Amino acid sequence: DVGCGTGAIGIAIANKYPAAVQVVALDVLPEAVDLSNENAEQFLSRYSAHGDSKLGVKSIYEAMLCSATHFTNNTTNTSRDLSKKKCKMNFDIVVSNPPYIPLKDMIDLSSDVVEYESYEALCGGVDGLNVIRDIVHRLPEWTFSSSLRAKHCWMEVDESHPRHLARWLSPGSVEARRCGVEYVESYTDFCGRDRFVKLRVS
């Protein structure tokens, strides 16, 4: 779960499939990491027996202070963000509600958004795709496996993004082959806006 915030997405997945998942959540804000781990303790503690009893809730959910760029086992990475322990990079699925609002739209956000969300949690750079690009470039490492089973990434995005991602990662295109990731499809929210995308690691 990239950009976990309060942990809502990852904790919901762990709550739904406690005996089948081990969720690793990332955020660049220390307060978000602390809050998501606290929420996991509150809502998932009854499931800790499904995993390693010595680890408790961390056997099924753990948030860590790390960016998408720095979540790697690459030995040349010297970032202090990543935990000293190496993570198994064989995730079956990646989910994310990353910062995706384009810079030009930040000024128009309503008070009920800006008063409760940090700038870092909202703004995704000039076109809103900064963190999304980081995720795309890391997906092949995160989901590496000898299995032939398809691995997917689900993301919430700005409504302007699905068409950009569809062009950039069009199946069979040079860019899709270079990144090792293909665009699959998009989904609308309750208001009918194109706000979610599904990507496949090729």
Side-chain angles (χ1 to χ4, degrees), residues 1 10-11 13-14 21-25 58-63 91:
D1 181 6
I11 290 172
I13 292 172
V21 301
Q22 182 179 14
V23 178
V24 173
K58 286 186 176 181
S59 65
I60 58 173
Y61 184 96
E62 181 178 11
F91 296 101

Side-chain angles (χ1 to χ4, degrees), residues 59-200:
S59 65
I60 58 173
Y61 184 96
E62 181 178 11
M64 61 178 65
L65 184 66
C66 189
S67 66
T69 299
H70 295 127
F71 188 62
T72 175
N73 285 333
N74 186 333
T75 55
T76 62
N77 176 40
T78 58
S79 169
R80 290 178 295 177
D81 288 349
L82 185 59
S83 171
K84 290 181 180 179
K85 66 179 182 181
K86 287 193 173 184
C87 289
K88 290 183 178 180
M89 297 295 186
N90 59 350
F91 296 101
D92 293 301
I93 188 170
V94 174
V95 295
S96 182
N97 180 5
Y100 59 70
I101 297 173
L103 183 61
K104 64 180 176 57
D105 294 336
M106 290 293 293
I107 195 172
D108 296 322
L109 294 179
S110 59
S111 59
D112 64 322
V113 174
V114 296
E115 289 177 4
Y116 295 96
E117 298 274 5
S118 69
Y119 184 89
E120 294 90 345
L122 296 170
C123 186
V126 173
D127 59 4
L129 288 164
N130 284 1
V131 178
I132 292 170
R133 289 190 190 92
D134 291 340
I135 292 171
V136 168
H137 291 140
R138 283 283 179 233
L139 282 175
E141 179 188 1
W142 293 347
T143 60
F144 180 78
S145 172
S146 59
S147 170
L148 295 178
R149 182 174 56 186
K151 305 293 184 77
H152 294 97
C153 173
W154 298 80
M155 280 192 287
E156 180 174 341
V157 296
D158 184 76
E159 59 187 311
S160 67
H161 290 161
R163 63 179 180 271
H164 292 302
L165 292 168
R167 287 197 300 266
W168 175 33
L169 300 172
S170 176
S173 68
V174 172
E175 280 295 290
R177 292 197 300 271
R178 183 181 68 83
C179 295
V181 178
E182 296 180 343
Y183 175 86
V184 178
E185 56 190 328
S186 64
Y187 299 84
T188 57
D189 62 14
F190 290 127
C191 296
R193 296 174 297 183
D194 226 5
R195 291 289 303 282
F196 307 95
V197 295
K198 179 182 180 182
L199 308 177
R200 178 174 56 240

